[in-house]
Amino acid sequence: PTPTRAEASDVATAIYDGADAIMLSAESAAGSFPEESVAMQQRIINRVEGDTHYRSYLDQLSMSKKNNAADAITSAARQIAQTTNAKGIVCFTLEGSTVLRASQERPTVPVLAITPFKETARQLAMSWGVYPDLPRSGAFGFTADEDDFFNVSNPTVDEDDDDFDIVLKNACRAALRKGLVNDPNDLLVVTAGLPFGTPGACNIIRVLPAAGPQCWDGICRVD
């Protein structure tokens, strides 16, 4: 089966316009070849995103930016990931605003969104290039009870002085579970905000190998 010119054009135009996700509808979804339709849709997406003019076209689109630290850091994360050939960008987030900003940059690598809230993880699953990860309570330095930890309307600010390296190490493990890294020397660009649990406090950016923050160029520091 072959899509009509209008169907192929609609899919391609949506990608050029910066759509996060596309779906089949009407007869395209309810026809006799649903699997082939999805496969063709993916072929069109790959062809558009592989177009040499795709990146320049996106750069010309007007994106709403705020002159704050979060926007500066997420923009820098894309540039750093491209310069260092990193395998992914890891974003710690509460309500997803930092991750959405990182996705809007259309980086050349996946974005791993680590959030304690199920609602945020589900919403981010529809964002371009984003792989949400829902950690267990206490996995990233949070010490709140389970009920408080998942209270999105009243996030808990962590008061403990836990080693930030432990948080970064768990981020590397999350990237490994998602299949974003497969070598100890693979690099990750991590953005976060301290103190943890403060909405919008994106104020840290780190580059670290998949082996963990104690390792660099194959040499690991043992405390």
Side-chain angles (χ1 to χ4, degrees):
T2 302
T4 64
R5 180 191 57 81
E7 290 172 332
S9 177
D10 287 345
V11 173
T13 301
I15 302 303
Y16 276 117
D17 287 344
D20 283 288
I22 56 177
M23 62 175 287
L24 298 173
S25 62
E27 66 275 5
S28 299
S32 302
F33 305 97
E35 294 183 7
E36 290 81 356
S37 298
V38 174
M40 178 59 70
Q41 193 176 43
Q42 186 62 55
R43 286 180 58 188
I44 298 172
I45 295 172
N46 294 341
R47 181 65 63 87
V48 171
E49 293 185 346
D51 184 7
T52 55
H53 301 289
Y54 173 67
R55 181 76 245 178
S56 60
Y57 185 78
L58 285 180
D59 291 338
Q60 295 175 7
L61 296 179
S62 59
M63 295 188 298
S64 58
K65 293 185 178 181
K66 300 178 181 178
N67 296 325
N68 54 27
D71 269 18
I73 287 178
T74 52
S75 179
R78 179 182 70 86
Q79 298 176 8
I80 293 173
Q82 184 174 354
T83 302
T84 61
N85 292 321
K87 296 296 183 180
I89 298 173
V90 182
C91 296
F92 289 90
T93 185
L94 287 177
E95 298 178 353
S97 59
T98 303
V99 177
L100 292 176
R101 181 67 184 84
S103 174
Q104 192 179 36
E105 288 285 336
R106 292 297 189 267
T108 56
V109 296
V111 178
L112 175 61
I114 299 176
T115 176
F117 302 131
K118 296 178 182 178
E119 295 87 350
T120 302
R122 290 167 179 165
Q123 292 169 3
L124 291 176
M126 297 297 292
S127 300
W128 187 95
V130 175
Y131 295 81
D133 184 75
L134 191 68
R136 292 176 290 103
S137 177
F140 290 94
F142 290 93
T143 56
D145 294 334
E146 193 76 17
D147 292 339
D148 295 333
F149 187 72
F150 290 101
N151 184 6
V152 68
S153 62
N154 185 28
T156 300
V157 178
D158 186 34
E159 301 292 343
D160 281 5
D161 294 326
D162 286 349
D163 189 357
F164 187 52
D165 280 0
I166 297 177
V167 177
L168 295 177
K169 185 180 295 184
N170 286 332
C172 294
R173 292 172 178 170
L176 179 62
R177 288 198 307 270
K178 291 290 185 180
L180 303 185
V181 294
N182 53 26
D183 186 274
N185 293 319
D186 287 341
L187 295 180
L188 295 168
V189 180
V190 181
T191 67
L194 292 180
F196 275 111
T198 306
C202 182
N203 49 33
I204 292 177
I205 187 167
R206 289 280 299 270
V207 180
L208 66 155
Q214 294 87 2
C215 301
W216 194 262
D217 287 339
I219 301 176
C220 293
R221 171 174 58 85
V222 180
D223 295 328

